[in-house]
């Protein structure tokens, strides 16, 4: 779920006046008509800002959004509290396979996504590159980091 508060650079308990001021400031900063050199990027950024403001700038929609976020947060906490379904023997076997490079790229990424509750986007090319997508935020990540983070996660089980 997108974090509209984070999009506007706000905490979740701010007043409506602050939301409006933050939106206006960001709209001035990223409006595509004011910055013609980056029109495509700024148009995309404004679309995200407009979506965030449409939700949390409207008191009725904001209440619904806040209730939904609270229920999802509670649900996620209850899922994280459940014991791991992977036994230590299975973890050791997976770690061994990772160390020997006997799992293919898709298997490693699938394990990572399940372990860290995120998405990995593969950018295919001569050398594949990857993007980690978590809570609507995308950041580059390399395959060695994916593997080492997965091994560290499996080791602590």
């Amino acid at each position: 779920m997108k974090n509209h508060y984070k999009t506007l650079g706000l905490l979740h308990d701010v007043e409506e006046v602050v939301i409006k001021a933050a939106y206006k400031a960001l709209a001035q900063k990223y409006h595509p008509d004011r910055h013609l050199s980056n029109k495509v990027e700024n148009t995309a950024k404004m679309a995200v800002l407009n979506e965030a403001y449409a939700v949390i700038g409207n008191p009725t929609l904001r209440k619904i959004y806040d209730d939904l976020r609270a229920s999802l947060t509670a649900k996620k906490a209850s899922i994280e509290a459940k014991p791991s379904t992977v036994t230590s023997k299975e973890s050791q076997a997976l770690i061994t396979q990772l160390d020997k490079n006997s799992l293919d790229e898709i298997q490693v990424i699938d394990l990572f996504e399940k372990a860290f509750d995120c998405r990995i986007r593969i950018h295919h090319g001569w050398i594949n590159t990857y993007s980690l997508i978590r809570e609507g935020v995308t950041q580059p990540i390399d395959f060695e980091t994916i593997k080492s983070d997965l091994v560290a996660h499996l080791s602590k089980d």
Side-chain angles (χ1 to χ4, degrees), residues 35-55:
H35 307 284
L36 298 175
S37 63
N38 293 332
K39 192 166 186 150
V40 174
E41 292 173 28
N42 287 332
T43 300
K45 181 71 172 172
M46 277 304 298
V48 173
L49 292 172
N50 287 334
E51 178 186 4
Y53 183 68
V55 174

Side-chain angles (χ1 to χ4, degrees), residues 18-81:
V18 177
I19 294 170
K20 188 173 184 176
Y23 171 74
K24 281 186 173 185
L26 290 169
Q28 285 183 345
K29 181 176 180 180
Y30 293 108
H31 200 282
D33 291 342
R34 293 182 62 125
H35 307 284
L36 298 175
S37 63
N38 293 332
K39 192 166 186 150
V40 174
E41 292 173 28
N42 287 332
T43 300
K45 181 71 172 172
M46 277 304 298
V48 173
L49 292 172
N50 287 334
E51 178 186 4
Y53 183 68
V55 174
I56 65 174
N58 178 321
T60 306
L61 291 177
R62 182 180 179 190
K63 169 107 174 78
I64 294 168
Y65 174 75
D66 287 344
D67 292 345
L68 181 61
R69 278 189 77 222
S71 69
L72 288 175
T73 302
K75 189 175 190 178
K76 186 176 179 180
S78 70
I79 289 170
E80 289 173 354

Side-chain angles (χ1 to χ4, degrees), residues 41-133:
E41 292 173 28
N42 287 332
T43 300
K45 181 71 172 172
M46 277 304 298
V48 173
L49 292 172
N50 287 334
E51 178 186 4
Y53 183 68
V55 174
I56 65 174
N58 178 321
T60 306
L61 291 177
R62 182 180 179 190
K63 169 107 174 78
I64 294 168
Y65 174 75
D66 287 344
D67 292 345
L68 181 61
R69 278 189 77 222
S71 69
L72 288 175
T73 302
K75 189 175 190 178
K76 186 176 179 180
S78 70
I79 289 170
E80 289 173 354
K82 291 180 182 175
S84 174
T85 56
V86 178
T87 66
S88 62
K89 193 179 228 181
E90 291 170 325
S91 292
Q92 270 313 118
L94 286 171
I95 290 169
T96 303
Q97 288 178 317
L98 285 166
D99 287 340
K100 292 181 178 180
N101 293 322
S102 58
L103 295 175
D104 69 23
E105 173 187 43
I106 301 302
Q107 290 172 312
V108 173
I109 289 173
D110 185 51
L111 283 169
F112 187 91
E113 289 176 335
K114 288 177 183 173
F116 294 100
D117 190 29
C118 64
R119 299 283 305 140
I120 299 285
R121 180 181 299 143
I122 304 172
H123 307 281
H124 298 284
W126 286 103
I127 298 175
N128 289 346
T129 57
Y130 310 89
S131 294
L132 170 64
I133 306 164

